Amino acid sequence: MTTVVLAPDSFKGSITAADACAALAAGWRDVDPDVVIVARPMADGGEGTLVAFAAAVPDARRMPLTVAGPDGRAHGTAWLRLPPTVDATGGTGVVELASTSGIELLGDDRVPWDAHTTGFGQAIAAALEGGVTRLILGIGSSASTDGGAGMLAALGARFLDATGRTVAPGARGLAAIQTVDVSGLRALPPGAAVVLSDVRTPLLGPTGAAAVFGPQKGFASGDIPGVDAALAHYAAALAAALPAADPAAAGAGAAGGTGFALQAWGARVAAGSAEVAALIGLGDAVAAASLVVTGEGSYDGQSAAGKAPAHVAALAHAAGVPVALVAGRVASDADTSAFAEVISLADLAGSADASRADPGRWLRAAGRTLAAHRPEPTLQRRTHRR
């Protein structure tokens, strides 16, 4: 009997990893109704992290709440409670920045100077109030470049200007900070906090949060030096209050500097894809599989450097199991040599726009194609185009 592990990341802006699994599974069953499907939707800390844990962990519970979105408007979201374990007697809280302070929540209306991470901090506070003894924090898809100040403020820190007033939220208020009061800052839970991120950039400079990620959040090129200077001022003020704050640390620039704030709080930054895979038991599932299928929206030249499909492929190769790639599009610079079979939804649909318009349809078609060919370890790699 064929056992297929489905472990795609989300197809960003198109379909969630869990829904991608469902569509691939339906297509495979069109051809082979007896197949055993093991769904392990993947994430790297960004959009889809909560869904990945909810799908893979029995008895996980969504805990709804309302937070301040990245533009300050009330936004309904949830954090996820994972059941208690031996080393986390109160359970683990999973909080996703994408669904609380993420850029997708703004649509096309970017507010780069004013967007903040308050909602993310509010969700973390809710998880702590819910009694969790460990936190898993996914920080991809941020809308802001506030250095995580909004998050820390929601956890009890105070950022004051020269007159003793609270500074404005977002990047706009960072340069005005004169005093950081952390006397009311919540402590880490006893089981600590793990931050999921595949971004390794520092907070400041030409490879930092403002320079690398500022433009996608709406900053003009002329804004970047000022934002970087504001982050530097904020970093110095925070380091005076929290000595663990290190703007040069790997991952400090993730999520507009939220990685920096979390490290200052005492959290540990981990490679998102690898940590998620370990936490959802992907390695054991892969070892028992006949085939592994992974994918993401756009597989390009950067995908092999630590993104979810690359990690899934590495696990499959280590177990001697063939792995196939299904992507919304496969860029010309992408290295696909790790995969026994490669399917581009854009090629199946005739264009990228057509595949994005109905991703479930074309993922189901990809599932049928894979079921018909059933890649084996010794098969030459095939790329399907139409």
Side-chain angles (χ1 to χ4, degrees):
M1 183 176 292
T2 301
T3 299
V4 179
V5 171
L6 303 177
D9 200 347
S10 64
F11 287 52
K12 190 171 183 180
S14 178
I15 191 169
T16 68
D19 287 342
C21 285
L24 287 165
W28 193 291
R29 290 189 176 113
D30 288 340
V31 176
D32 178 11
D34 296 324
V35 65
V36 175
I37 298 288
V38 179
R40 289 291 185 271
M42 275 291 288
D44 59 8
E47 179 186 12
T49 298
L50 250 64
V51 173
F53 281 105
V57 179
D59 300 323
R61 286 194 295 147
R62 288 177 60 85
M63 308 297 289
L65 77 161
T66 300
V67 301
D71 56 359
R73 292 183 294 180
H75 171 67
T77 185
W79 60 277
L80 191 71
R81 183 190 292 277
L82 304 185
T85 63
V86 173
D87 61 347
T89 55
T92 295
V94 184
V95 186
E96 181 186 270
L97 188 149
S99 62
T100 53
S101 304
I103 197 166
E104 297 294 330
L105 303 181
L106 297 178
D108 294 328
D109 300 323
R110 302 287 189 262
V111 284
W113 285 103
D114 301 300
H116 53 74
T117 53
T118 302
F120 182 49
Q122 290 171 335
I124 295 171
L128 293 173
E129 289 167 4
V132 302
T133 52
R134 184 175 180 235
L135 287 170
I136 298 172
L137 307 173
I139 63 170
S141 305
S142 170
S144 71
T145 313
D146 74 343
M151 175 205 69
L152 290 175
L155 291 172
R158 299 173 68 214
F159 298 94
L160 309 174
D161 65 16
T163 68
R165 295 177 180 173
T166 300
V167 302
R172 187 178 303 280
L174 298 181
I177 294 172
Q178 291 298 312
T179 303
V180 178
D181 178 3
V182 295
S183 60
L185 181 64
R186 291 176 181 267
L188 283 174
V194 177
V195 180
L196 307 181
S197 176
D198 284 337
V199 173
R200 309 303 291 166
T201 59
L203 179 66
L204 306 172
T207 60
V212 176
F213 302 110
Q216 71 188 40
K217 296 173 185 178
F219 286 114
S221 59
D223 294 331
I224 300 303
V227 180
D228 193 61
L231 285 169
H233 175 82
Y234 159 72
L238 188 62
L242 296 174
D246 180 4
T258 305
F260 167 70
L262 286 167
Q263 288 172 314
W265 190 40
R268 173 177 67 88
V269 176
S273 299
E275 196 77 14
V276 170
L279 290 165
I280 67 174
L282 182 60
D284 289 341
V286 166
S290 310
L291 172 71
V292 178
V293 182
T294 188
E296 63 182 351
S298 178
Y299 193 84
D300 56 29
Q302 298 181 6
S303 296
K307 291 193 176 182
H311 185 72
V312 175
L315 289 176
H317 283 292
V321 177
V323 57
L325 173 74
V326 178
R329 62 179 286 272
V330 179
S332 58
D333 66 341
D335 179 2
T336 59
S337 59
F339 302 101
E341 194 144 357
V342 177
I343 299 178
S344 163
L345 301 188
D347 290 339
L348 285 181
S351 71
D353 287 342
S355 69
R356 282 194 296 266
D358 195 356
R361 172 189 174 185
W362 297 108
L363 281 161
R364 187 165 185 162
R368 289 194 294 267
T369 299
L370 289 169
H373 289 282
R374 302 189 187 195
E376 300 292 340
T378 56
L379 284 183
Q380 184 177 359
R381 182 179 64 86
R382 288 185 292 266
T383 300
H384 290 269
R385 301 190 182 276
R386 180 175 297 177

